[in-house]
Amino acid sequence: QVQLVESGGGLVQAGGSLRLSCAASGSIFSINAMGWYRQAPGKQRELVATITKFGRINYADSVKGRFTISRDNAKNTVYLQMNSLKPEDTAVYYCKVVASPYEYWGQGTQVTVSS
């Protein structure tokens, strides 16, 4: 059994910053990739950023230059530093862990950016 515990969401004014964390625990033998996705009301879930165990990173165009993803392999933890937040970043943010052939999702954490 695998557990993902997310933290760091909240309410922030436009231009502010938040840092999300996601710690994976349980029967995970080898994590291939970790990442963050988000889902705004009435919209589909979309990729925000991913990072492989080798450190290869991918960002959505909408967050490039503002968000930074990082991971601590020893702690099975992934972080998302979000700067220069905009109201359109408001969404529920979900952590995803890929430990092939399985995928695991966190419960989601709300990020609200006020204008």
Side-chain angles (χ1 to χ4, degrees), residues 38 62-63 66-67 84-91 93 111 113:
R38 67 187 181 187
S62 59
V63 307
R66 300 187 299 121
F67 291 11
S84 302
L85 282 160
K86 305 175 181 180
E88 50 263 43
D89 294 318
T90 295
Y93 283 69
V111 171
V113 184

Side-chain angles (χ1 to χ4, degrees), residues 10-80:
L11 173 64
V12 65
Q13 288 188 333
S17 298
L18 285 173
R19 187 185 192 221
L20 305 182
S21 299
C22 173
S25 62
S27 301
I28 298 180
F29 297 103
S30 179
I31 294 178
N32 304 111
M34 306 179 81
W36 292 93
Y37 292 72
R38 67 187 181 187
Q39 187 166 18
K43 295 187 177 182
Q44 290 188 333
R45 190 172 298 187
E46 63 177 6
L47 178 147
V48 176
T50 59
I51 182 168
T52 71
K53 65 179 179 180
F54 301 112
R56 183 173 180 176
I57 292 173
N58 183 43
Y59 292 106
D61 288 343
S62 59
V63 307
K64 284 180 180 177
R66 300 187 299 121
F67 291 11
T68 302
I69 190 171
S70 61
R71 64 184 284 178
D72 185 331
N73 290 335
K75 296 181 179 179
N76 286 338
T77 300
V78 63
Y79 307 95
L80 185 68

